[in-house]
């Protein structure tokens, strides 16, 4: 089968997660589901997990702008105080900072946190939280660090081991094919010692495989 060098994949430097979240909310309201996405989330979840999901859906993250180093230091210290230095955990502090600060600011905060505490922020989340909240906070951190790397990991675990998570595989491949699939391919190759193309080829079959390989766009040596 002939391979297309890059398929339809293009970089999308103007990605705006706030606009995407707002578009999703409006689309849900316009469809005949009988309720908004936020209402459904509130009705189906609880606790700090629900609170984090609602904050993300509200799309109130600060826009990327000039980095305020004093605020970076303050937020890193606040996270340290809310977790490692506290008996118990101040989950609300993690939710507020992770859900409202800009992407570029949070990347700086994660670096500063490592300097202050000696831990990666992921290590603290693993120790201080559990269950759905832990998984959600880790997903936020991974996507803040690198959306392509996070989605490459998502695709890898959708195919790793016995069986295939076809829903996740289709969702990521189709939704990112016109956005950043080429970058996801590069991260996949770098992090998992195989290519996305090769793993899809070995894990699927028939017309389904052909369609996914065309979306993938080509092999990465």
């Amino acid at each position: 089968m002939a391979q297309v060098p890059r398929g339809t994949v293009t970089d999308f430097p103007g990605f705006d997660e706030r606009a995407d979240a707002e578009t999703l909310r409006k689309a849900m309201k316009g469809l005949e589901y009988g309720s908004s996405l936020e209402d459904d989330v509130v009705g189906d979840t609880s606790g700090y997990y629900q609170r984090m999901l609602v904050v993300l859906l509200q799309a109130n993250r600060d826009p990327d702008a000039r980095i305020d180093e004093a605020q970076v230091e303050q937020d890193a210290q606040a996270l340290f105080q809310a977790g490692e230095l506290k008996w118990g955990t101040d989950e609300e502090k993690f939710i507020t900072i992770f859900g409202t600060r800009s992407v570029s600011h949070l990347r700086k905060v994660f670096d500063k946190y490592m300097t202050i505490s000696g831990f990666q922020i992921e290590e603290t989340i693993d120790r201080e939280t559990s269950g759905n909240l832990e998984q959600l906070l880790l997903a936020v951190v991974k996507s803040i660090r690198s959306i392509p790397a996070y989605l490459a990991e998502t695709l890898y675990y959708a195919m790793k081991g016995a069986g295939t998570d076809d829903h996740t595989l289709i969702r990521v491949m189709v939704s990112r094919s016109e956005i950043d699939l080429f970058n996801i391919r590069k991260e996949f190759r770098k992090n998992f010692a195989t290519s996305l193309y090769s793993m899809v080829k070995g894990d699927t079959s028939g017309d389904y495989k052909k369609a996914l390989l065309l979306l993938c766009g080509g092999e990465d040596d």
Side-chain angles (χ1 to χ4, degrees), residues 156-177:
Y156 178 76
Y157 286 108
M159 293 181 282
K160 183 177 183 292
T164 302
D165 182 350
D166 293 303
H167 177 77
T168 296
L169 183 58
I170 293 167
R171 175 174 54 82
V172 176
M173 294 285 289
V174 172
S175 66
R176 309 309 290 190
S177 63

Side-chain angles (χ1 to χ4, degrees), residues 18-89:
R18 294 195 308 159
D20 271 12
E22 184 61 27
T23 298
L24 179 59
R25 289 171 62 203
K26 289 179 178 178
M28 285 286 290
K29 287 182 178 180
L31 296 173
E32 297 188 10
Y33 290 112
S35 61
S36 70
L37 177 57
E38 187 172 321
D39 288 340
D40 283 346
V41 166
V42 169
D44 206 47
T45 59
S46 61
Y48 290 115
Y49 177 56
Q50 177 195 94
R51 172 67 178 145
M52 184 76 236
L53 287 171
V54 170
V55 168
L56 293 172
L57 280 173
Q58 289 173 342
N60 290 323
R61 191 176 296 285
D62 297 333
D64 278 322
R66 184 182 63 84
I67 299 297
D68 183 339
E69 295 294 343
Q71 186 64 55
V72 168
E73 174 84 23
Q74 182 177 325
D75 283 347
Q77 289 284 1
L79 290 171
F80 192 33
Q81 294 286 337
E84 299 287 353
L85 297 185
K86 184 178 177 63
W87 179 257
T89 306

Side-chain angles (χ1 to χ4, degrees):
M1 180 174 61
Q3 296 178 5
V4 182
R6 287 189 58 163
T8 59
V9 177
T10 56
D11 297 330
F12 189 56
F15 172 70
D16 185 346
E17 72 279 4
R18 294 195 308 159
D20 271 12
E22 184 61 27
T23 298
L24 179 59
R25 289 171 62 203
K26 289 179 178 178
M28 285 286 290
K29 287 182 178 180
L31 296 173
E32 297 188 10
Y33 290 112
S35 61
S36 70
L37 177 57
E38 187 172 321
D39 288 340
D40 283 346
V41 166
V42 169
D44 206 47
T45 59
S46 61
Y48 290 115
Y49 177 56
Q50 177 195 94
R51 172 67 178 145
M52 184 76 236
L53 287 171
V54 170
V55 168
L56 293 172
L57 280 173
Q58 289 173 342
N60 290 323
R61 191 176 296 285
D62 297 333
D64 278 322
R66 184 182 63 84
I67 299 297
D68 183 339
E69 295 294 343
Q71 186 64 55
V72 168
E73 174 84 23
Q74 182 177 325
D75 283 347
Q77 289 284 1
L79 290 171
F80 192 33
Q81 294 286 337
E84 299 287 353
L85 297 185
K86 184 178 177 63
W87 179 257
T89 306
D90 183 355
E91 290 90 346
E92 194 65 42
K93 183 64 67 176
F94 280 82
I95 290 168
T96 298
I97 293 174
F98 283 16
T100 63
R101 302 296 193 262
S102 73
V103 170
S104 57
H105 176 87
L106 283 173
R107 287 172 180 161
K108 289 282 190 178
V109 169
F110 298 158
D111 290 342
K112 179 63 69 174
Y113 185 87
M114 178 64 183
T115 301
I116 291 170
S117 69
F119 303 118
Q120 294 286 1
I121 191 66
E122 293 92 336
E123 296 177 87
T124 293
I125 292 170
D126 184 59
R127 279 194 293 271
E128 298 292 330
T129 62
S130 61
N132 288 331
L133 178 63
E134 177 188 359
Q135 295 305 310
L136 179 56
L137 291 176
L138 288 173
V140 170
V141 171
K142 289 175 183 178
S143 64
I144 290 294
R145 290 193 187 279
S146 170
I147 289 174
Y150 170 61
L151 292 176
E153 180 182 315
T154 300
L155 287 170
Y156 178 76
Y157 286 108
M159 293 181 282
K160 183 177 183 292
T164 302
D165 182 350
D166 293 303
H167 177 77
T168 296
L169 183 58
I170 293 167
R171 175 174 54 82
V172 176
M173 294 285 289
V174 172
S175 66
R176 309 309 290 190
S177 63
E178 297 284 352
I179 301 174
D180 57 359
L181 190 54
F182 183 66
N183 291 331
I184 293 169
R185 281 168 45 187
K186 290 194 294 184
E187 291 293 334
F188 197 102
R189 181 64 180 172
K190 180 176 73 175
N191 294 329
F192 300 111
T194 188
S195 69
L196 177 59
Y197 190 95
S198 293
M199 200 160 183
V200 168
K201 187 175 180 179
D203 211 59
T204 59
S205 61
D207 290 338
Y208 177 46
K209 176 171 75 173
K210 292 177 182 178
L212 289 176
L213 291 178
L214 284 171
L215 281 174
C216 187
E219 180 64 276
D220 299 298
D221 297 325

